[in-house]
Amino acid sequence: MKPIKPLDAAWLYVDTRETPMQVGCLAIFSLPPKAGPAFLKKQVETFRSTREFVYPFNLRLKAPRLRFLLPAWEEDRQIDLDYHFRHSALPQPGGERELGILVSRLHSNAMDFNRPLWECHLIEGLQHRRFALYMKMHHSLVDGISGMRMLARILSPDPNSRTQLPPWAVGARQKTKTREPLASPWQAALDGMRVQLKTVPGVTRAFGDIVREAVRQEEKDWALPFSGPRSAFNGKISGQRRFATQHYSLARVRRIAKAADVTVNDVFLEICAGSMRRYLGEMHALPSKPLTAGVPVSVRPADDQSAGNAISFIIANLNTNIADPLQRLRAIHDSAQAAKLHLQQLPKADMDNYTALFMAPFMAQLLSGLGGHLRPMFNLTVSNVPGPDQTLYFNGARMEQMYPVSLLAHGQALNITAVSYAGQFNVGFTGCREALPSMQRLSVYAGEALDELEQVLGIGAPAETATAD
Amino acid sequence: MKPIKPLDAAWLYVDTRETPMQVGCLAIFSLPPKAGPAFLKKQVETFRSTREFVYPFNLRLKAPRLRFLLPAWEEDRQIDLDYHFRHSALPQPGGERELGILVSRLHSNAMDFNRPLWECHLIEGLQHRRFALYMKMHHSLVDGISGMRMLARILSPDPNSRTQLPPWAVGARQKTKTREPLASPWQAALDGMRVQLKTVPGVTRAFGDIVREAVRQEEKDWALPFSGPRSAFNGKISGQRRFATQHYSLARVRRIAKAADVTVNDVFLEICAGSMRRYLGEMHALPSKPLTAGVPVSVRPADDQSAGNAISFIIANLNTNIADPLQRLRAIHDSAQAAKLHLQQLPKADMDNYTALFMAPFMAQLLSGLGGHLRPMFNLTVSNVPGPDQTLYFNGARMEQMYPVSLLAHGQALNITAVSYAGQFNVGFTGCREALPSMQRLSVYAGEALDELEQVLGIGAPAETATAD
């Protein structure tokens, strides 16, 4: 038996029918040259006969019904592989649309808390000689970034290698030490959660105090928590998800960033902003105040003597009230820069507190528990995760794209996460089915927002990537 | 707004992650002669564009979170059809095994209580030019038998008819008046449930008293409630299901019944008993005491002046301790006959009470809440539902088989339900994934138990049905 760390256990506390706390990864592969249907059949057989389960695939909850009081993992020595590994197929015509629909459904289904909290789906019937792998894990076991890394670990850069094993036989590295919160308010909030989920006002007030104290700032560019408008993305959510994807060449995004003298992340935020402005405008639901995004960033605290950077959060102003794309991009850049600067001026202890609270999985839940009387902490999460640089293969099958499939919470009906992979910028849109009708349009508009930036900057797509994309 | 009847609402009260209270129906069709892939494409398009929703497909819960206090339906005027109608496909080789696995998964997934509680899945990729339709509905909307009838209503006996609409545009007849319980103990139990789900001992005691008083009997053949042994089928269940099927010619079953001078239902009970004896024996888990089955039967109460029969329940002794199939068949017949006779001698009011309590969906749940300290009321449900006599078609596609997919409760990890259809006897086995490993064997053994009966009775399968089967 192994107690679950409070930060990991928190994902179990807030897992409900409406907010299953699971993260996913979708990878699309091409069959190796000359491979026929026998290739997939063989992979399925290998998957079914691989019964070695390494960390964290071998862990299950010790007492699922008591997970609030006694969160602990134990090793499951009798794993029912046929439950976890699932062979699926797409109906005709087997395009990206059918794949998106299937992944939406699979990602909406709750997991069985009596078993190790993961599923692996091998999906056949994808047109143009392709197949897909969709992995789903509970966030208490792995976070989205680690999930991506885990996928990369099972693959090989060598197209001739044929020794790749299914994910559960490769596993993840043991979790690197989570940044544990240092100060007591966080622990008090967590203890409060555990004892009584209903004591919302107290916890919320504590959170507000800490954030206000931690950021202690006056400048205008920094988007304050709770300063974003109410929007279609910030109500209670239901358990059904939509999922859509887009992929661009990274060279295009970089070229735009260079031409506009901003970062790749700024360009990403801009195309999200442009897309949302148009999508909400069509729904006659664009708030007059600009939307804000919670964005994970890499920073170094003012008094940190250690070598590495730390991951923290900023709230960026998406400037969705600005119609001009270039002006919007510059405004987003300014907002993100100001937020990062402020964050970097914080002492390490304050930043740790601040970060822990932003990452607290249940805060959004708690806030929405107030019945929508509060403004959202921020309107949506936009995140950009570095992925593998090299082209990777699974037993000779080239991975064409990989996409994150994210989780949502009450008050956060949309998550946009990008991952870079072998010269590509792959974007996964995860939304609540009710809050985001026709969410596909949001992803299409993001692509068109990228085109638009190239146009206003007077640069075309580089020739070498126009074909690759 | 329309209040939900207490008996229907009860299914909502006991719906949990482990015990989703949904019933299903699986129908297998052959493509019409000469029809190509365009046929299914056209059906999918018609399904997607049919946006007329009739009773009960247009109903959703008025306040899903308050369903315990205020169970009421309201009409949903903005139904998201793409959520309810799902186009799916089987992976290679697309046989009965792959279909069974997909249906098991679909039947395990919980429904979204914020929407009308139904799903319709059109499944392509079934080998030998076939496809399947799987319908799933919450038991608060429709019971298994009505579900079967509803399926039959959307079909046509005319292979040339091309005017069949999807189920939601045809609907069910408004529920015929449920036999409302007459006496107060039932209502008291239900009220108790509603106010406080935890007052188990009181309700259980009341139930025991009523059953004892109602059946008031001494004879040995009648299997008493709670007289069955504890078995692998009677623990707490988890939310995952297995589903397996078998189909025989009805003529074979009838011929055996005639040769042994028993009923078709007795033969059905016997092959279930023979199969379970072998299955549990292989698991070294066959109780020395015989298993018992709760069986819906058609009876007429002693003082009933009305024309029709009533549906009530008997508990039949499955005599799984007897090795000889013919001896077992005769013993099952005697037990079922004795139980029906006793039931028929009851005055109508007592029978109504007795029936209502047997049908109470939450009794098994309550009993299992006692932590397995009580014996099960009976070991499993075996039910035999009359279906359509004629061969039926959906826009020219012949329905080959139809199967019920049932619900389970704590303490009831296995349900075997048969439905007759156009000279066939189609059996659906629905089991809890944990309690019934390799459940497929149970269905195979049932087929072999039928062969065995023919052998010991010295009758072969009639030539005309051996090919049809």
Side-chain angles (χ1 to χ4, degrees):
Chain A
M1 193 184 107
K2 188 184 157 189
I4 305 177
K5 288 179 194 161
L7 262 178
D8 294 339
W11 298 103
L12 295 165
Y13 302 159
V14 293
D15 189 291
T16 66
R17 274 200 185 201
E18 289 76 29
T19 57
M21 289 291 151
Q22 50 217 14
V23 290
C25 177
L26 174 67
I28 295 175
F29 296 87
S30 281
L31 289 180
K34 293 180 203 158
F39 175 85
L40 269 189
K41 191 162 178 252
K42 197 181 155 211
Q43 302 309 317
V44 170
E45 279 164 13
T46 307
F47 275 43
R48 287 214 175 110
S49 61
T50 304
R51 289 173 184 271
E52 187 201 352
F53 302 93
V54 301
Y55 173 90
F57 295 89
N58 56 349
L59 298 181
R60 72 170 172 206
L61 284 171
K62 186 165 167 57
R65 281 160 189 279
L66 299 177
R67 62 182 186 271
F68 289 78
L69 293 169
L70 210 84
W73 299 123
E74 65 180 358
E75 196 181 333
D76 188 347
R77 293 175 190 280
Q78 290 202 306
I79 294 176
D80 176 4
L81 179 57
D82 290 338
Y83 170 82
H84 298 277
F85 169 59
R86 299 177 172 205
H87 184 196
S88 297
L90 297 181
Q92 289 297 320
E96 254 70 5
R97 181 173 181 276
E98 285 72 28
L99 180 61
I101 291 172
L102 180 60
V103 170
S104 308
R105 289 182 198 159
L106 298 177
H107 201 64
S108 301
N109 292 334
M111 293 209 241
D112 184 347
F113 276 61
N114 298 297
R115 305 166 182 276
L117 292 166
W118 61 272
E119 292 170 16
C120 175
H121 302 254
L122 188 66
I123 302 165
E124 67 177 43
L126 186 59
Q127 57 187 198
H128 309 310
R129 302 186 75 252
R130 294 175 302 162
F131 66 94
L133 200 64
Y134 162 71
M135 279 289 311
K136 173 164 131 184
M137 298 193 89
H138 200 273
H139 204 315
S140 55
L141 275 182
V142 77
D143 62 46
I145 297 176
S146 310
M148 291 282 160
R149 289 202 183 122
M150 201 158 64
L151 176 69
R153 286 189 67 211
I154 71 162
L155 305 174
S156 164
D158 178 3
N160 297 313
S161 169
R162 292 293 183 275
T163 55
Q164 282 80 59
L165 292 170
W168 55 90
V170 179
R173 289 202 179 86
Q174 296 274 337
K175 262 191 174 173
T176 48
K177 197 179 170 316
T178 321
R179 270 181 158 258
E180 294 290 350
L182 299 179
S184 56
W186 157 262
Q187 193 58 47
L190 191 67
D191 290 346
M193 271 296 292
R194 218 187 260 167
V195 175
Q196 175 53 281
L197 272 158
K198 297 260 164 73
T199 60
V200 175
V203 180
T204 312
R205 206 177 314 116
F207 176 69
D209 291 348
I210 294 155
V211 170
R212 267 190 296 279
E213 203 179 323
V215 299
R216 234 187 268 118
Q217 55 77 49
E218 302 85 30
E219 290 187 36
K220 290 251 167 77
D221 286 335
W222 166 287
L224 273 172
F226 308 108
S227 73
R230 290 192 208 169
S231 81
F233 307 146
N234 305 110
K236 286 237 177 202
I237 63 170
S238 84
Q240 304 304 318
R241 300 287 166 265
R242 293 185 197 268
F243 182 64
T245 59
Q246 278 270 303
H247 61 102
Y248 322 109
S249 89
L250 196 51
R252 281 183 72 192
V253 182
R254 283 195 180 129
R255 201 170 150 177
I256 293 169
K258 199 177 164 197
D261 195 20
V262 298
T263 68
V264 162
N265 209 41
D266 294 334
V267 177
F268 177 41
L269 288 172
E270 200 294 309
I271 65 174
C272 294
S275 167
M276 279 186 287
R277 179 179 157 86
R278 188 168 159 198
Y279 175 84
L280 290 174
E282 285 176 357
M283 291 166 69
H284 306 289
L286 179 69
S288 54
K289 281 193 70 177
L291 295 174
T292 60
V295 186
V297 291
S298 174
V299 286
R300 183 184 293 191
D303 58 352
D304 193 358
Q305 305 299 321
S306 64
N309 285 334
I311 298 292
S312 185
F313 269 73
I314 60 164
I315 298 183
N317 184 333
L318 290 177
N319 294 281
T320 43
N321 54 330
I322 301 178
D324 180 77
L326 210 53
Q327 205 184 327
R328 196 164 58 225
L329 175 60
R330 297 247 152 82
I332 289 170
H333 172 74
D334 292 345
S335 161
Q337 286 302 107
K340 279 181 81 166
L341 270 175
H342 272 103
L343 199 55
Q344 260 159 337
Q345 287 160 7
L346 290 180
K348 187 168 183 307
D350 282 357
M351 195 194 287
D352 282 347
N353 269 337
Y354 168 89
T355 306
L357 282 160
F358 259 66
M359 294 179 74
F362 45 75
M363 289 314 300
Q365 301 271 45
L366 282 176
L367 296 174
S368 77
L370 295 177
H373 293 302
L374 262 190
R375 287 161 179 281
M377 187 151 68
F378 42 84
N379 294 104
L380 77 161
T381 302
V382 179
S383 137
N384 176 7
V385 178
D389 292 334
Q390 287 177 291
T391 299
L392 296 174
Y393 297 83
F394 185 75
N395 292 321
R398 186 175 64 208
M399 182 163 77
E400 302 291 345
Q401 283 89 35
M402 65 189 289
Y403 297 105
V405 194
S406 302
L407 57 76
L408 305 176
H410 289 309
Q412 297 287 333
L414 175 63
N415 176 301
I416 308 178
T417 299
V419 63
S420 58
Y421 163 59
Q424 287 180 41
F425 195 74
N426 298 328
V427 190
F429 298 77
T430 309
C432 165
R433 188 174 176 96
E434 277 72 27
L436 289 124
S438 308
M439 195 186 73
Q440 190 64 30
R441 283 193 281 128
L442 203 59
S443 68
V444 172
Y445 294 169
E448 292 177 11
L450 195 71
D451 297 342
E452 195 181 35
L453 279 180
E454 285 174 339
Q455 213 180 325
V456 295
L457 286 164
I459 51 174
E464 81 277 8
T465 57
T467 49
D469 206 16
Chain B
M1 194 184 107
K2 189 184 157 190
I4 305 176
K5 287 178 194 161
L7 262 177
D8 295 337
W11 298 103
L12 294 166
Y13 303 159
V14 293
D15 189 291
T16 67
R17 274 199 184 201
E18 290 75 31
T19 58
M21 289 292 152
Q22 50 217 15
V23 291
C25 177
L26 174 67
I28 295 175
F29 296 88
S30 283
L31 288 180
K34 295 180 202 158
F39 175 84
L40 268 188
K41 190 162 177 253
K42 196 181 155 209
Q43 302 309 316
V44 170
E45 278 163 15
T46 307
F47 275 43
R48 286 212 176 115
S49 61
T50 304
R51 290 174 183 269
E52 187 200 354
F53 302 93
V54 302
Y55 172 91
F57 293 91
N58 57 348
L59 298 181
R60 71 169 172 206
L61 284 171
K62 186 166 166 55
R65 281 160 189 279
L66 298 176
R67 62 184 186 269
F68 288 78
L69 292 169
L70 209 84
W73 299 122
E74 65 180 0
E75 196 181 333
D76 187 348
R77 293 176 191 278
Q78 290 203 305
I79 293 176
D80 176 5
L81 178 58
D82 291 338
Y83 170 82
H84 298 278
F85 169 58
R86 301 177 171 205
H87 184 197
S88 298
L90 297 181
Q92 290 296 321
E96 255 69 5
R97 181 173 182 275
E98 285 73 29
L99 181 61
I101 290 172
L102 180 61
V103 170
S104 309
R105 288 181 200 161
L106 297 178
H107 202 63
S108 301
N109 292 334
M111 293 210 243
D112 183 348
F113 276 61
N114 298 298
R115 305 167 182 276
L117 293 166
W118 61 272
E119 292 169 17
C120 175
H121 302 253
L122 188 67
I123 301 166
E124 67 176 43
L126 186 59
Q127 57 187 198
H128 309 311
R129 302 186 76 252
R130 293 176 302 162
F131 67 95
L133 200 63
Y134 162 71
M135 277 291 309
K136 172 165 132 185
M137 297 192 90
H138 200 271
H139 204 316
S140 55
L141 275 181
V142 78
D143 62 47
I145 297 175
S146 310
M148 291 282 159
R149 288 201 186 124
M150 201 159 63
L151 177 69
R153 286 188 66 212
I154 72 161
L155 305 174
S156 165
D158 178 3
N160 297 313
S161 169
R162 293 292 183 277
T163 56
Q164 281 80 61
L165 291 170
W168 55 90
V170 180
R173 289 202 180 85
Q174 296 274 337
K175 264 193 175 172
T176 49
K177 197 181 168 314
T178 322
R179 273 181 155 256
E180 294 290 350
L182 298 180
S184 56
W186 157 261
Q187 192 58 49
L190 191 65
D191 290 346
M193 272 295 292
R194 219 186 261 169
V195 175
Q196 176 53 281
L197 273 158
K198 299 258 164 75
T199 60
V200 175
V203 180
T204 314
R205 206 178 312 116
F207 176 69
D209 290 348
I210 295 157
V211 171
R212 267 188 296 278
E213 205 178 322
V215 300
R216 232 186 270 119
Q217 56 78 46
E218 301 87 32
E219 290 188 36
K220 290 251 168 76
D221 287 333
W222 166 287
L224 272 174
F226 307 107
S227 73
R230 291 191 209 171
S231 81
F233 307 146
N234 305 110
K236 285 238 177 200
I237 63 170
S238 82
Q240 304 304 317
R241 300 287 167 266
R242 293 185 196 269
F243 181 64
T245 60
Q246 278 272 304
H247 62 103
Y248 323 109
S249 90
L250 196 52
R252 281 182 73 190
V253 182
R254 283 196 180 128
R255 202 171 148 178
I256 293 169
K258 199 177 165 194
D261 196 22
V262 298
T263 68
V264 162
N265 209 42
D266 295 333
V267 176
F268 177 41
L269 289 171
E270 200 294 308
I271 64 172
C272 294
S275 167
M276 279 186 289
R277 180 180 155 85
R278 189 169 157 197
Y279 175 84
L280 290 173
E282 286 176 357
M283 289 166 69
H284 306 289
L286 180 68
S288 55
K289 281 193 69 177
L291 295 174
T292 61
V295 186
V297 291
S298 173
V299 287
R300 184 184 294 191
D303 58 351
D304 193 358
Q305 305 299 321
S306 64
N309 284 335
I311 298 293
S312 186
F313 268 72
I314 60 165
I315 297 182
N317 184 334
L318 291 176
N319 294 279
T320 43
N321 54 331
I322 301 178
D324 179 76
L326 209 52
Q327 205 185 327
R328 195 166 56 225
L329 175 61
R330 298 244 154 82
I332 289 170
H333 172 76
D334 291 347
S335 161
Q337 285 302 109
K340 278 181 81 166
L341 271 176
H342 271 105
L343 199 55
Q344 261 159 337
Q345 287 161 7
L346 291 180
K348 187 169 183 308
D350 283 358
M351 195 196 287
D352 282 347
N353 269 338
Y354 167 89
T355 306
L357 282 160
F358 259 66
M359 293 179 72
F362 46 75
M363 289 315 300
Q365 301 272 44
L366 282 176
L367 297 173
S368 77
L370 294 177
H373 293 301
L374 263 189
R375 289 161 176 281
M377 187 151 68
F378 42 83
N379 294 105
L380 77 162
T381 302
V382 179
S383 135
N384 177 5
V385 178
D389 292 335
Q390 289 175 289
T391 299
L392 296 174
Y393 298 82
F394 185 75
N395 293 320
R398 187 174 64 209
M399 182 163 76
E400 301 292 345
Q401 284 89 35
M402 64 189 289
Y403 297 105
V405 193
S406 302
L407 58 76
L408 305 177
H410 289 307
Q412 296 287 332
L414 175 64
N415 176 300
I416 308 178
T417 299
V419 63
S420 59
Y421 163 60
Q424 287 180 39
F425 195 74
N426 298 328
V427 190
F429 298 76
T430 309
C432 165
R433 188 172 176 96
E434 277 71 28
L436 288 125
S438 307
M439 195 187 73
Q440 189 63 30
R441 282 193 281 129
L442 202 60
S443 69
V444 172
Y445 294 169
E448 292 176 12
L450 194 73
D451 297 342
E452 194 181 38
L453 279 180
E454 285 174 338
Q455 213 181 325
V456 296
L457 286 164
I459 51 174
E464 79 277 8
T465 58
T467 48
D469 205 13

